[in-house]
Amino acid sequence: MATDRSSAQRLELARRISRRRFAQWLAATSLVVGVPTLGIPSARAQDKVQIKFWTHTHPPMVEQNEAAIAEFMQANPDIEVKYEVIPNMNFAEKMLSSMGTGTGPDVINMDDNQMRATYIPRGLVQEVDFAALGFGSLDELEAAYIPGAFEGATADGKIYGLPSEFNVTAFAINTAAFEEVGLDPASPPKTWDEVGTMGQELVVREGDTLTRRGFDFLYLHEGWYHNQLGTLMLQTGGTYVAPDGTTVTVNEPAAVEALQIWYDMVYEYEIADPNVASREATVPYQDFLDGKVAMTLMNPWGMGLVTPESAVYEKYAIVPLPQYDPAKPAAPLYAYYWAVNAQTTDERKREAAFRLVSFLASQPGPWLKNVNFIQPRAGWNELPEAQEFPFYDVWAAEMLNGKFMPVYPKGPEIDNIMQQTIESSVLTGVPPQEAMDAAATQIEAVLAEG
């Protein structure tokens, strides 16, 4: 299903990702599954050291982690990895509480928003040890990755994690549904207004119930609400709080316009319905996979959930993200990072933890092929697996428009407020300006607490 690359995209990507740097990285490490990372001394041959590694639930990722951990322990018989998978709906809360009480894992896998807003500021994760990861210097480590890869885990010039996945948001369409109603899948919506009008042609109703929604957002947990409204705000120019960290801007026109787009899908175009949306966070795109939603936001890893049993198998396409203003395109970047717990100070545990991170990060090919995780190693696009990566050109082009979302003081508290705000608007019909005015009052109170 991959599309042909355009020359312009090839040239631009080549500019961003240096072949020379990729060659340097290949000389320093290995892409071969099961080969220990070079440059890291073997641990002492004595009693096994046990380390804990926790992640959220994503079945393809879990399978890849389990396989990689088994290979890692076979290559490192002095290390035992206890791998635990936390249900998505409980992941953020359980992980944060465990890190605060000293019962957490030695190795975590956390998204950039949590890393920048909570884990790094609170000192919960430690700065990467480039030597323990097998690099001669911090510059050498950074040269092994594409520019910007560490932005989601960096503070004050210090790096706190290695990226396990580097995502940009695009758009997925059900090509069979498009053809069924006479729409051309090769001409997908370019703006949110077009999403609304095309969605009206794609809906299927049984009485008052939408059995196939033209488009919809996902209604899962705070992280999803943060990313989806954040996607719209990147395009409209809205923010929750100004860069000064104290001035609340969530009820200013640019932010309100972002929520208005979401609201209009439900109440103006009537193509979305949060009341019938799946709330299963383990398979977040379930409604699209089942053909119950004709268009949705999509990340590269989401393609890994499309199986032969899916209603959209071989009947979907990845297309550019619709825009608020096509003349100023914007797509959100977000990433997950492997990081080592700041409380993992025992030397053997610490060494083992970084060795595990290094091993997991040395396999961009298998992660791309088996999980659809783009690991932003320099030259990832030259891997054999990249040549077969579905819709490569769209993902590569969207990355050129990509930017990380801003982080805010009291991020977790604000995200909780904003989930309630979005739900009050799209679930109960509170007008966006009114909902955002209420949010502004709550955010001001939270920030005033210091």
Side-chain angles (χ1 to χ4, degrees), residues 22 25-26 29-35 361-366 377 379 383-384:
F22 182 54
W25 169 63
L26 283 176
T29 189
S30 171
L31 284 176
V32 181
V33 175
V35 177
S362 72
Q363 306 181 7
R377 304 294 295 237
L383 294 168

Side-chain angles (χ1 to χ4, degrees), residues 137-160:
S137 67
L138 193 62
D139 287 343
E140 185 179 314
L141 169 63
E142 292 187 85
Y145 286 81
I146 68 173
F150 293 104
E151 184 177 338
T154 297
D156 299 324
K158 298 178 179 179
I159 299 172
Y160 291 86

Side-chain angles (χ1 to χ4, degrees), residues 335-362:
Y336 268 78
Y337 293 86
W338 290 301
V340 176
N341 193 328
Q343 297 188 36
T344 300
T345 55
D346 176 84
E347 190 57 34
R348 288 191 68 211
K349 279 182 173 287
R350 183 177 179 278
E351 179 186 347
F354 276 113
R355 191 184 300 186
L356 174 63
V357 169
S358 180
F359 185 85
L360 294 171
S362 72

Side-chain angles (χ1 to χ4, degrees), residues 426-437:
V426 301
L427 284 173
T428 66
V430 176
Q433 183 68 64
E434 182 181 335
M436 293 300 227
D437 285 341

Side-chain angles (χ1 to χ4, degrees), residues 53-264:
F53 173 35
W54 292 3
T55 71
H56 65 286
T57 303
H58 178 56
M61 175 190 70
V62 171
E63 291 179 12
Q64 181 65 25
N65 272 326
E66 289 173 341
I69 289 168
E71 292 162 2
F72 174 79
M73 289 194 296
Q74 183 175 11
N76 297 272
D78 55 329
I79 300 173
E80 181 181 5
V81 180
K82 304 293 287 186
Y83 179 43
E84 184 173 348
V85 180
I86 312 299
N88 290 349
M89 298 301 289
N90 309 116
F91 178 69
E93 180 181 357
K94 180 172 182 178
M95 182 67 78
L96 190 57
S97 63
S98 73
M99 298 288 278
T101 59
T103 59
D106 301 288
V107 177
I108 73 169
N109 189 221
M110 187 56 60
D111 69 83
D112 68 274
N113 178 55
Q114 294 289 328
M115 286 286 285
R116 292 178 292 152
T118 303
Y119 282 73
I120 295 173
R122 295 187 185 179
L124 299 177
V125 290
Q126 55 185 285
E127 187 179 355
V128 297
D129 183 336
F130 61 81
L133 291 169
F135 293 92
S137 67
L138 193 62
D139 287 343
E140 185 179 314
L141 169 63
E142 292 187 85
Y145 286 81
I146 68 173
F150 293 104
E151 184 177 338
T154 297
D156 299 324
K158 298 178 179 179
I159 299 172
Y160 291 86
L162 264 60
S164 60
E165 54 178 297
F166 199 73
N167 292 292
V168 68
T169 300
F171 210 56
I173 63 170
N174 182 325
T175 55
F178 266 59
E179 292 168 353
E180 173 191 318
V181 301
L183 292 173
D184 183 2
S187 299
K190 295 180 175 60
T191 67
W192 291 107
D193 285 339
E194 290 181 358
V195 171
T197 55
M198 288 188 182
Q200 289 175 325
E201 298 184 57
L202 289 161
V203 297
V204 175
R205 288 184 170 85
E206 289 185 4
D208 294 331
T209 302
L210 287 175
T211 56
R212 183 173 73 198
R213 287 162 278 155
F215 163 79
D216 214 344
F217 293 93
L218 280 72
Y219 305 87
L220 300 174
H221 53 68
E222 289 175 7
W224 278 95
Y225 285 90
H226 171 93
N227 285 348
Q228 292 174 119
L229 187 62
T231 295
L232 299 174
M233 290 200 299
L234 279 180
Q235 296 184 359
T236 64
T239 58
Y240 296 160
V241 181
D244 64 14
T246 59
T247 304
V248 176
T249 55
V250 72
N251 58 340
E252 293 185 358
V256 175
E257 183 61 25
L259 183 56
Q260 187 73 51
I261 293 171
W262 196 327
Y263 180 93
D264 286 348

Side-chain angles (χ1 to χ4, degrees), residues 89 219-220 225 274-282 287 423 427:
M89 298 301 289
Y219 305 87
L220 300 174
Y225 285 90
N275 295 296
V276 298
S278 169
R279 301 297 177 108
E280 177 48 67
T282 302
D287 285 346
E423 290 184 337
L427 284 173

Side-chain angles (χ1 to χ4, degrees), residues 12-13 15-16 112 116 146-149 151-152 166-170 230-231 234-235 299-300 320-321 323 328-335 393-406:
E12 179 65 16
L13 198 61
R15 182 182 67 80
R16 295 277 300 270
D112 68 274
R116 292 178 292 152
I146 68 173
E151 184 177 338
F166 199 73
N167 292 292
V168 68
T169 300
T231 295
L234 279 180
Q235 296 184 359
N299 302 113
L321 183 67
Q323 297 292 321
K328 300 177 181 178
L333 295 174
Y334 83 91
D393 280 354
V394 177
W395 298 119
E398 291 298 277
M399 279 190 177
L400 300 179
N401 296 325
K403 59 180 71 174
F404 280 96
M405 298 177 193

